[in-house]
Amino acid sequence: MTRSADQEYITTAIGKKYRVEKSSDFEYVTTAIGEECFLFGVDVFAHEWTDTRKCIRVHDPLYGQPYTMNVYEITVDGSVHRFAAGEFSNNVWGFWLPTNRARPDGHDSARIPPDESNASHAKEQEEMEPRELIRPAEISKRTLQMMDESIRNLNAGKVSAPIDPSES
């Protein structure tokens, strides 16, 4: 680790140099289990991630363990979106978004506004009967806590709604 003019750098085991960004410029949004996570209106795992050669230092939101997460960019419909991500453990990913995500048009860059064709579908979903959720025996308490955190972030508008592939 080196410092140069108030800027901190980390050199990886394979010799890549990453600039450490201010962690306060990013906020935790969700934990994904497996390779599916919906941000910016799309599954980020279905897009090519561009490594910005920058990273942030964060703490696991559940256990407080420190991590260094790389900052990536993806392109969605011609717009570049930035996020930080990394694995807490095998196939358990944490995602952070920049705290200042406002675009010039006033929309949150992490949320793609729904188009008119989705408005009627949303109304249909509201009219459906609520389903009772039953805790499966094979899901751990930690997984359920991460899922609850993801739902809180969705309800707070920090991430976009998941896309149902069965609707295609």
Side-chain angles (χ1 to χ4, degrees):
M1 179 171 43
T2 60
R3 285 190 179 269
S4 153
D6 292 331
Q7 189 59 57
E8 185 178 356
Y9 292 86
I10 293 175
T11 304
T12 66
I14 59 172
K16 282 189 178 181
K17 193 172 186 179
Y18 283 76
R19 189 171 95 190
V20 179
E21 298 284 293
K22 287 188 217 169
S23 296
S24 61
D25 290 346
F26 286 80
E27 63 182 326
Y28 168 78
V29 288
T30 193
T31 297
I33 300 169
E35 290 191 357
E36 183 177 81
C37 180
F38 292 90
L39 299 173
F40 321 113
V42 298
D43 179 3
V44 294
F45 286 103
H47 288 74
E48 183 177 338
W49 297 10
T50 303
D51 188 350
T52 64
R53 307 262 317 229
K54 296 177 183 173
C55 62
I56 60 171
R57 290 201 171 127
V58 296
H59 288 86
D60 178 330
L62 193 56
Y63 296 110
Q65 182 176 352
Y67 287 92
T68 299
M69 302 293 185
N70 290 353
V71 177
Y72 299 97
E73 292 177 344
I74 62 170
T75 302
V76 178
D77 296 328
S79 296
V80 176
H81 299 278
R82 177 176 283 208
F83 63 96
E87 284 185 289
F88 292 131
S89 63
N90 190 26
N91 247 358
V92 178
W93 291 81
F95 287 87
W96 283 258
L97 293 178
T99 53
N100 181 10
R101 299 184 310 242
R103 297 189 319 213
D105 63 5
H107 292 293
D108 183 340
S109 66
R111 293 181 56 82
I112 296 177
D115 61 356
E116 294 301 317
S117 64
N118 288 340
S120 62
H121 178 68
K123 188 173 183 178
E124 288 173 16
Q125 283 187 333
E126 289 175 13
E127 295 170 3
M128 292 176 60
E129 289 290 321
R131 293 181 279 174
E132 184 178 339
L133 298 177
I134 300 170
R135 179 182 171 167
E138 67 273 3
I139 295 181
S140 70
K141 183 178 177 182
R142 179 174 184 234
T143 300
L144 289 171
Q145 288 171 335
M146 288 187 290
M147 291 169 66
D148 288 341
E149 178 71 18
S150 296
I151 290 168
R152 281 192 296 275
N153 285 326
L154 176 66
N155 291 338
K158 295 181 181 178
V159 295
S160 61
I163 298 169
D164 186 353
S166 65
E167 296 173 5
S168 299

